[in-house]
Amino acid sequence: MNLKLINIKSLGGVHKEGTKWLRGADLAHFPTIENAYLIIKEGKISSFGPMSNCPQDELPVQNCNGQHVMPAFVDSHSHLVYAGTREEEFNLRLKGASYEEIAAAGGGILNSAAKVSTSNIDELVGQAQFRLQNLIDYGTGTLEVKSGYGLDPENELKLLRAIKTLNKKSSATLIPTFLAAHALPAWAKAQGMDDASYTKYMLEQCLPILQSEGLALFLDGFIERDYFKLNALQHLIDASAQSGLPLKIHVNQFYDIGGIEMAVAAQALSVDHLEVMTPEAMNSLHGSNTIATLLPSCSYFLGIPYGPARDLIENDTVVALATDYNPGSSPGGNMQLVCNMACTKMKMTPAEVLNAATLNGAAALNLSDRKGSIAVGKDADLVITKEIPSLEYLCYDFGINHIQTTILGGHIQ
Ligand code: NIG
Ligand code: FE
């Protein structure tokens, strides 16, 4: 589809061609062109600039008078495909039970896994499709989606096949991750497996199938004191080296057990959560190419500390923002709200936040060459705002949707 957007009040995210990610002081600048045009041809951005340079070619025109345009959000950490919901656990937590206590009593991830095991692919796709449409309306164009509520080979593959089916049905770009180690299920304990041997088993069983069917682009594990420890991480590192699938690791959500240092040494693509940090973990990320993905809506919902965004930015670490959309720790996937929380709770500036939620999110999925900024040749995944004063206003006026139109692959949604 070809389209010419004209009279754009400001066009944001206009980074220098070839910019892969932004770190340190560079993160603080969200470059914009005032009073701009942008032309979409065959689903890609074909040209853009100030209105004074707008070509006269005969294309369908959309007048964006008073509206702003920026890249669609790239949400690089979610668990969008799950079955049912867990609001009964929300009630328990409000009465004082902790996330870990609920998990230890068979709730949490195990609760969601029980619901997945009795759902078929169509049901999983149907529920996730409903959630995804809301996210698109709120400006998300690309979304990483993890498995991890299967907890046995058959159900993990079912989740990954559901993600693949949903990706085909949707004009959003879904990036699948095999979350091989999320919680140790009862059947594995009964067979005498521990966290490490279960992780090894899951990787051995699933990797050949998911590679032959093209079901996952990344590997993940929940590296925590009470979930999967460093021996399990080592199996993930070995499987990543052998399969070529990069690592994105849940780590340092509740405790530090040295997972970040190990993941960074293994050149993980990203380490995600980071609510609990130590000087050693911070040092290992200094200037590294492993991206720190922060998830403020998880901190908000669980009442746990927020990731130390300011320290990480000053530490020359690449910081991305994502939703962690899942039924237990972040039952919401609104990137606009994440942007607001990153400002109010993590003291990031709106400009930093808009970069971290677009280009750095794309980098956390190895997609910087296609997504996350306004550049000629990139996918035309864009949002057109309502009539608001500025793009930064998206981060300021919270709780309502400031997006008028989402365009994905050049198509108005
Ligand atoms: O990223 N931390 C591990 N996994 C999810 C939560 C899973 C759940 O509670 O269902 C997360 O927060
Ligand atoms: Fe997560």
Side-chain angles (χ1 to χ4, degrees):
M1 156 136 190
N2 298 338
L3 186 63
K4 180 156 70 175
L5 307 179
I6 60 166
N7 297 325
I8 302 167
K9 193 170 175 192
S10 74
L11 175 65
V14 194
H15 292 289
K16 248 195 359 247
E17 213 171 299
T19 308
K20 183 176 170 190
W21 53 33
L22 298 149
R23 62 166 94 219
D26 291 342
L27 189 65
H29 184 47
F30 188 65
T32 57
I33 300 174
E34 305 300 309
N35 193 21
Y37 79 93
L38 182 144
I39 292 177
I40 299 168
K41 284 190 182 159
E42 286 164 19
K44 308 277 182 202
I45 298 170
S46 107
S47 74
F48 61 89
M51 268 314 281
S52 51
N53 294 350
C54 185
Q56 294 302 313
D57 41 3
E58 295 293 308
L59 291 172
V61 168
Q62 175 142 349
N63 192 339
C64 299
N65 217 346
Q67 298 170 294
H68 307 263
V69 173
M70 61 172 262
F73 292 115
V74 180
D75 182 353
S76 63
H77 182 138
S78 98
H79 308 249
L80 179 82
V81 176
Y82 56 82
T85 52
R86 306 218 305 258
E87 57 273 37
E88 72 286 358
E89 291 179 8
F90 182 41
N91 270 288
L92 292 176
R93 277 202 305 107
L94 295 175
K95 294 196 177 103
S98 73
Y99 179 83
E100 290 139 300
E101 282 162 2
I102 290 168
I109 296 163
L110 298 178
N111 180 355
S112 286
K115 294 182 163 88
V116 164
S117 71
T118 55
S119 305
N120 62 35
I121 289 192
D122 288 347
E123 289 164 337
L124 292 169
V125 171
Q127 290 185 29
Q129 197 168 17
F130 174 77
R131 294 189 277 267
L132 180 58
Q133 190 52 53
N134 277 327
L135 303 191
I136 293 171
D137 294 344
Y138 274 78
T140 297
T142 300
L143 182 74
E144 187 251 21
V145 188
K146 302 172 190 297
S147 66
Y149 291 117
L151 307 188
D152 61 43
E154 183 191 333
N155 282 293
E156 285 299 319
L157 290 166
K158 181 166 82 181
L159 284 167
L160 290 166
R161 290 183 183 120
I163 297 167
K164 188 172 184 175
T165 305
L166 183 59
N167 192 28
K168 282 196 190 131
K169 282 176 178 252
S170 168
S171 33
T173 302
L174 303 187
I175 304 295
T177 293
F178 176 36
L179 174 41
H182 203 189
L184 190 60
W187 68 263
K189 282 185 193 162
Q191 289 185 24
M193 291 185 193
D194 65 7
D195 62 316
S197 56
Y198 166 79
T199 304
K200 185 163 183 284
Y201 172 82
M202 290 297 286
L203 290 163
E204 282 170 359
Q205 294 295 308
C206 297
L207 267 176
I209 303 168
L210 62 86
Q211 285 201 289
S212 75
E213 288 184 40
L215 292 175
L217 293 177
F218 301 106
L219 298 179
D220 191 354
F222 186 15
I223 305 306
E224 270 295 327
R225 188 192 73 177
D226 299 337
Y227 288 81
F228 293 86
K229 296 180 282 298
L230 299 186
N231 288 342
L233 177 55
Q234 188 59 53
H235 289 307
L236 285 159
I237 291 171
D238 294 345
S240 169
Q242 177 238 313
S243 64
L245 301 179
L247 295 168
K248 294 173 69 63
I249 299 292
H250 285 75
V251 67
N252 286 48
Q253 182 177 1
F254 301 110
Y255 298 96
D256 180 284
I257 58 168
I260 291 183
E261 292 93 307
M262 202 166 146
V264 171
Q267 295 180 310
L269 178 61
S270 70
V271 284
D272 301 31
H273 275 288
L274 281 51
E275 289 89 346
V276 173
M277 286 293 278
T278 59
E280 293 75 23
M282 194 58 95
N283 280 341
S284 73
L285 280 165
H286 179 80
S288 125
N289 288 348
T290 297
I291 295 168
T293 300
L294 303 180
L295 310 166
S297 52
C298 171
S299 298
Y300 168 79
F301 192 71
L302 292 187
I304 61 175
Y306 288 80
R310 285 258 60 89
D311 293 346
L312 286 161
I313 293 167
E314 273 149 39
N315 191 49
D316 207 28
T317 303
V318 183
V319 171
L321 288 166
T323 63
D324 197 17
Y325 196 1
N326 76 76
S329 66
S330 180
N334 178 349
M335 282 294 280
Q336 294 175 58
L337 204 48
V338 161
C339 288
N340 173 265
M341 289 176 186
C343 293
T344 56
K345 296 299 188 181
M346 296 172 164
K347 307 296 176 213
M348 290 175 74
T349 66
E352 288 174 333
V353 157
L354 294 176
N355 285 323
T358 54
L359 188 59
N360 283 2
L365 296 174
N366 273 341
L367 282 178
S368 289
D369 55 339
R370 281 177 51 202
K371 309 279 187 187
S373 70
I374 303 296
V376 170
K378 281 200 175 185
D379 294 349
D381 289 2
L382 310 166
V383 291
I384 305 175
T385 69
K386 295 176 181 164
E387 286 193 35
I388 54 175
S390 65
L391 280 167
E392 296 196 349
Y393 189 86
L394 279 178
C395 305
Y396 158 80
D397 179 339
F398 66 93
I400 57 165
N401 189 6
H402 297 294
I403 305 302
Q404 177 87 55
T405 308
T406 304
I407 298 179
L408 298 178
H411 293 276
I412 293 175
Q413 300 301 301

